[in-house]
Amino acid sequence: MHHLQRTFSKRGFDVRSFGTGSHVKLPGPAPDKPNVYDFKTTYEQMYNDLVRKDKELYTQNGILHMLDRNKRIKSRPERFQSCKDQFDLVITCEERVYDQVLEDLSSREQETFTPVHVINVDIQDNHEEATLGAFLICELCQCIQHTDDMENEMDELLQEFEDKSNRPFLHTVCFY
């Protein structure tokens, strides 16, 4: 979700964006006909493929704009399960993705026992919701950054955000 990456980077956060599925799926000409790409496919290749298929459709639905923006951030999508870097915080925007992240983290051999907080807030996959969600999550991260004791204050902080946003948050602590 590169909306988040841009919003957070402007505020001094170090952010990375990942997919969790076996392939990258982008909307196609119909809901049951997505465009499916391997994670090795660059954003530039996806962009050119969609221009070739139907430039008007993919311009109108914003996919070409999104790919153009994404390729300025990094060359290709990354799969979370292939990344061995350690994070303090992982935020997902869909419960299915949250479950996949937890499954991956729990299947890894624990080496450093460093905690990682995994938080989910469901955000519908459209531009308006993504923009609102990005600001909500950015505000949450700013609050987390200013806590004196993240481990002990997280549940209370998330409860405040649930009440404020009228959205449920899921939270699990895993260990590397």
Side-chain angles (χ1 to χ4, degrees), residues 81-146:
Q81 295 90 329
S82 301
C83 178
K84 299 307 172 205
D85 295 341
Q86 293 188 5
F87 302 94
D88 299 318
L89 179 64
V90 174
I91 298 177
T92 63
C93 299
E94 186 179 339
E95 191 169 347
R96 174 186 60 82
V97 174
Y98 176 80
D99 292 340
Q100 290 172 323
V101 167
L102 293 180
E103 181 180 326
D104 177 66
L105 289 172
S106 66
S107 72
R108 296 181 187 193
E109 188 172 330
Q110 293 181 343
E111 297 172 359
T112 64
F113 298 97
T114 305
V116 54
H117 291 264
V118 183
I119 297 172
N120 183 74
V121 56
D122 280 324
I123 297 173
Q124 292 177 13
D125 197 5
N126 63 56
H127 185 72
E128 185 179 340
E129 274 289 306
T131 301
L132 293 172
F135 285 109
L136 175 69
I137 293 170
C138 193
E139 184 181 350
L140 172 65
C141 289
Q142 288 172 325
C143 289
I144 290 170
Q145 187 179 41
H146 292 102

Side-chain angles (χ1 to χ4, degrees), residues 24-38:
V24 177
K25 290 183 184 174
L26 298 175
D32 62 336
K33 295 180 182 173
N35 291 287
V36 179
Y37 301 97
D38 186 275

Side-chain angles (χ1 to χ4, degrees), residues 18-74:
F18 295 91
T20 57
S22 56
H23 292 87
V24 177
K25 290 183 184 174
L26 298 175
D32 62 336
K33 295 180 182 173
N35 291 287
V36 179
Y37 301 97
D38 186 275
F39 273 93
K40 294 177 183 149
T41 309
T42 66
Y43 288 124
E44 182 75 29
Q45 291 167 323
M46 291 178 206
Y47 184 95
N48 292 337
D49 181 51
L50 296 181
V51 165
R52 184 182 51 76
K53 287 179 178 176
D54 190 337
K55 183 176 182 178
E56 187 176 328
L57 169 68
Y58 297 113
T59 298
Q60 184 180 344
N61 69 8
I63 299 299
L64 292 180
H65 175 71
M66 178 193 74
L67 290 171
D68 189 50
R69 193 178 60 226
N70 290 357
K71 69 184 179 182
R72 284 184 260 137
I73 296 170
K74 60 185 178 182

